[in-house]
Amino acid sequence: MRIYIVTLIIRFVDFFYKLKIKYFLKKKNKIFNVILDIGAHHGESIIFFLKNFNVRKIYSFEPSSINFKILEKILKIFIKRPSIRI
C-alpha cells in the first residue's frame, strides 16, 4: 500500500514538472532536429517529446537489457509511424 501511495505522489509531482518543461521548451523552439535521451528507461521521455514537439531524430541509450526489452515493446505499440525506426 505504501509503494502505491508513493508512486501516486511521484506521478503527481512528475506531471507538473513535465508541464513546466513543456512550456519552457515551447517558448524556445517547437522543432528539434536531435534529442539525446541518456537512460531511456521505459521511454517516458521519448513519448513525451513525440507527443508535444516536432522531433526529427531521437537517440536513446538504455544500458539495462531488461529495461531495453520493455522499451522496445512499448515503443512498438506507441509508434505507428513508418518514418520512425527502433
Side-chain angles (χ1 to χ4, degrees), residues 75-84:
L75 291 182
K76 284 180 184 176
I77 293 168
F78 178 78
I79 300 174
K80 296 178 182 173
R81 293 182 278 175
S83 61
I84 298 175

Side-chain angles (χ1 to χ4, degrees), residues 5 13 24 26 28 30 39 77:
I5 293 171
V13 172
F24 173 78
K26 282 197 175 191
K28 300 291 181 186
K30 292 186 179 180
I77 293 168

Side-chain angles (χ1 to χ4, degrees), residues 2-52:
R2 289 182 186 177
I3 293 174
Y4 179 74
I5 293 171
V6 170
T7 304
L8 284 178
I9 293 170
I10 290 172
R11 285 184 183 176
F12 181 76
V13 172
D14 190 46
F15 172 77
F16 289 104
Y17 184 69
K18 284 183 180 179
L19 276 179
K20 187 176 177 181
I21 292 170
K22 179 175 137 181
Y23 292 126
F24 173 78
L25 291 175
K26 282 197 175 191
K27 286 181 188 177
K28 300 291 181 186
N29 198 355
K30 292 186 179 180
I31 299 172
F32 293 94
N33 290 325
V34 177
I35 291 178
L36 294 174
D37 183 15
I38 312 299
H41 193 247
H42 295 158
E44 296 91 346
S45 298
I46 297 168
I47 293 170
F48 170 76
F49 279 103
L50 289 177
K51 280 185 175 180
N52 295 295

